Amino acid sequence: MSQALAEHATQTIRAGSKSFAAASRLFEPDTRRSAVLLYAWCRHCDDVIDGQLLGMERRSEIQRPASELLAELEASTHRAFAGKPVSEPAFAAFQEVVLKHRIPQRYALDHLRGFAMDVEGRQYQRIEDTLEYCYHVAGVVGVMMAIIMGARDAPTLDRACDLGIAFQLTNIARDIVEDAAIGRCYLPAEWLDEFGIAPAGLAAEQHRGALAILARRLVDLAEPYYTSALDGLPALPFRSAWAVATAHGVYRQIGIKVVERGARAWDSRAFTTRAEKLRLAARGSWEVLAARRREPRPRPDLYQRPY
């Protein structure tokens, strides 16, 4: 069963996130196993709420109310932490990870809270509201990943959270139009009001120039989070730090591409090529060595996770 879980999780990550799959190969085997098992749970929960398979095609069967599905995810999460039997492979994978690494249950529930924000149709008035969402859907995942890598001190977990938030800001910029197609908008209403854009009309071609400005704003906002994350690398084992630095470079490059494309950013999905991933992996090793030689820098005034 244990090997089957690992194979299921590996297939999930290969199909669901080529960026993370590439970086995860740099972990030492035990860490990689736990990381991909955690990813499988995150992907499963996301797909259940969105009615998708691996974050892409929509499922054809009739979906039950999202609130009901969310309640089931929460119940299964409690069962996993209690060590009770779970049948869903993603939850069996998750149970193995949280019990092995003693991940506090509050972090998993915080992640589910991000899905609840989608289910409730949360409106984001200010950028601070968007950052709160970023924490729940990605920042707290960074915290759990850091625990898997052996970090438990608050400063390192803060830096891991910063990286997750940077990833999500990049994702939001890349997926503005795609999210709008399913009725979701994570851009602050204050920003949209500047350009007279109603959330319902966000995907309209006429707004692409304005969206390019707002996407650049998101990518610029992510930069200090990306920078802060690099200062957490010295606290991690070398191969874990290398994997994190590579993922850092890959996701950051996606944001750069979104900005470079301007109003055409959403004609096709931005991604990094295999050659770019290899180059960024090489640069990632240099980032780790540079971070270890550098004097520790104070964390800037960024979003502060609740605990």
Side-chain angles (χ1 to χ4, degrees):
M1 178 63 174
S2 183
Q3 183 59 32
L5 285 179
E7 291 176 358
H8 167 79
T10 299
Q11 292 171 1
T12 298
I13 193 173
R14 284 175 180 166
S17 176
K18 292 181 174 59
S19 296
F20 185 67
S24 70
R25 295 189 185 100
L26 302 176
F27 286 123
E28 59 86 23
D30 285 347
T31 303
R32 181 176 188 273
R33 174 187 172 85
S34 292
V36 299
L37 291 179
L38 179 62
Y39 175 88
W41 174 75
C42 295
R43 180 77 272 161
H44 171 76
C45 293
D46 197 4
D47 285 348
V48 167
I49 296 302
D50 286 350
Q52 295 180 321
L53 292 172
L54 301 174
M56 292 175 281
E57 69 268 21
R58 308 290 293 182
R59 288 173 173 160
S60 58
E61 68 265 24
I62 297 175
Q63 289 289 297
R64 289 179 291 142
S67 58
E68 183 179 313
L69 297 171
L70 178 62
E72 288 185 0
L73 292 177
E74 291 172 346
S76 295
T77 298
H78 284 291
R79 289 180 64 83
F81 274 95
K84 296 179 179 179
V86 290
S87 57
E88 170 61 48
F91 272 96
F94 178 65
Q95 184 176 63
E96 176 182 316
V97 173
V98 300
L99 296 182
K100 176 180 179 180
H101 296 280
R102 296 180 292 111
I103 294 176
Q105 183 169 318
R106 64 179 179 268
Y107 293 137
L109 296 179
D110 256 8
H111 187 47
L112 294 182
R113 177 60 194 153
F115 301 125
M117 293 164 81
D118 282 335
V119 170
E120 295 162 2
R122 175 78 174 269
Q123 302 296 305
Y124 303 93
Q125 182 64 31
R126 304 174 302 139
I127 189 58
E128 290 79 9
D129 301 325
T130 299
L131 288 171
E132 180 188 357
Y133 175 77
C134 291
Y135 162 73
H136 283 286
V137 297
V140 75
V141 177
V143 172
M144 291 190 284
M145 286 288 186
I147 291 174
I148 286 172
M149 297 174 214
R152 301 197 85 89
D153 62 290
T156 301
L157 298 185
D158 285 341
R159 305 288 185 166
C161 181
D162 289 342
L163 185 57
I165 288 174
F167 286 172
Q168 190 60 29
L169 288 169
T170 300
N171 284 342
I172 291 172
R174 180 195 62 193
D175 298 337
I176 291 174
V177 173
E178 185 177 322
D179 286 335
I182 57 172
R184 291 183 183 163
C185 175
Y186 304 106
L187 292 169
E190 291 181 344
W191 290 13
L192 297 180
D193 289 345
E194 291 180 40
F195 296 91
I197 302 174
L202 192 59
E205 188 74 25
Q206 70 200 62
H207 297 313
R208 296 299 169 85
L211 292 187
I213 295 172
L214 298 181
R216 175 185 286 274
R217 196 178 293 180
L218 286 171
V219 171
D220 288 345
L221 180 63
E223 276 300 296
Y225 288 90
Y226 277 119
T227 300
S228 174
L230 292 177
D231 287 306
L233 296 178
L236 304 176
F238 179 82
R239 286 189 59 176
S240 291
W242 186 14
V244 169
T246 298
H248 172 289
V250 169
Y251 274 90
R252 182 173 177 272
Q253 185 63 33
I254 290 172
I256 290 171
K257 289 191 173 192
V258 169
V259 171
E260 288 177 344
R261 289 184 180 184
R264 303 265 67 85
W266 302 279
D267 289 354
S268 61
R269 192 176 178 87
F271 66 94
T272 55
T273 65
R274 184 173 183 275
E276 287 172 327
K277 287 182 176 69
L278 291 173
R279 175 178 62 80
L280 291 165
R283 180 176 176 81
S285 64
W286 177 87
E287 291 282 10
V288 175
L289 295 174
R292 293 188 172 189
R293 288 193 292 261
R294 192 167 52 232
E295 284 294 318
R297 298 177 293 194
R299 182 173 177 268
D301 183 20
L302 302 174
Y303 177 88
Q304 184 58 55
R305 63 193 177 92
Y307 35 68

